[in-house]
Amino acid sequence: MAPLCVAWWGMVGLSARRQQPPLVNFMLLVRLYGNLFQPSFKLQEEMRIGARVIKCYHPPVPPAARVLTHPGVAQTDKQQLQETADPVLLFAGIRAAQEELGRRVDRSGLNAKED
């Protein structure tokens, strides 16, 4: 999801990323949302019949839900994840970062006046 939001992210050098805190903030929020709430498939089993490989997957589940149901994760960590991982707050942060990026483009990009 994040590469679709900012397609040129991989082509920008590290020094340019340091100079663009709103872009970095936006990318961190989008990656956090994807890592917590975007459903993903998990491999259930893999069968080999000769050279052919047949893969069976579990139904797609968000990674945060997997963490919350895993028996190896401590209850305190589960409570902390439930308290801090709020998709509504993440979307609000993403929208704010998008607005900031839009303001920067308006100031220095499309509407910039030549000297």
Side-chain angles (χ1 to χ4, degrees):
M1 181 172 168
L4 297 175
C5 295
V6 182
W8 54 270
W9 177 256
M11 295 186 286
V12 176
L14 185 60
S15 61
R17 289 183 196 169
R18 288 187 186 135
Q19 296 171 2
Q20 300 291 334
L23 181 60
V24 172
N25 184 36
F26 174 71
M27 291 302 299
L28 290 175
L29 289 170
V30 170
R31 287 182 67 193
L32 182 61
Y33 174 78
N35 287 340
L36 290 177
F37 300 110
Q38 288 294 313
S40 60
F41 289 97
K42 186 174 179 185
L43 187 64
Q44 183 175 4
E45 80 176 291
E46 189 176 80
M47 295 185 333
R48 182 174 288 276
I49 302 172
R52 186 174 180 193
V53 177
I54 299 172
K55 297 178 181 180
C56 297
Y57 294 92
H58 290 284
V61 177
R66 283 199 186 109
V67 171
L68 292 174
T69 59
H70 195 278
V73 179
Q75 284 296 339
T76 56
D77 294 336
K78 289 180 183 181
Q79 286 176 343
Q80 183 181 7
L81 178 63
Q82 285 177 330
E83 292 168 0
T84 59
D86 186 6
V88 175
L89 291 176
L90 276 175
F91 271 131
I94 290 170
R95 293 288 182 219
Q98 284 176 330
E99 289 175 10
E100 175 62 27
L101 287 172
R103 282 193 295 274
R104 284 182 174 238
V105 167
D106 286 344
R107 279 196 313 254
S108 64
L110 300 175
N111 299 329
K113 295 185 169 106
E114 294 187 27
D115 295 330

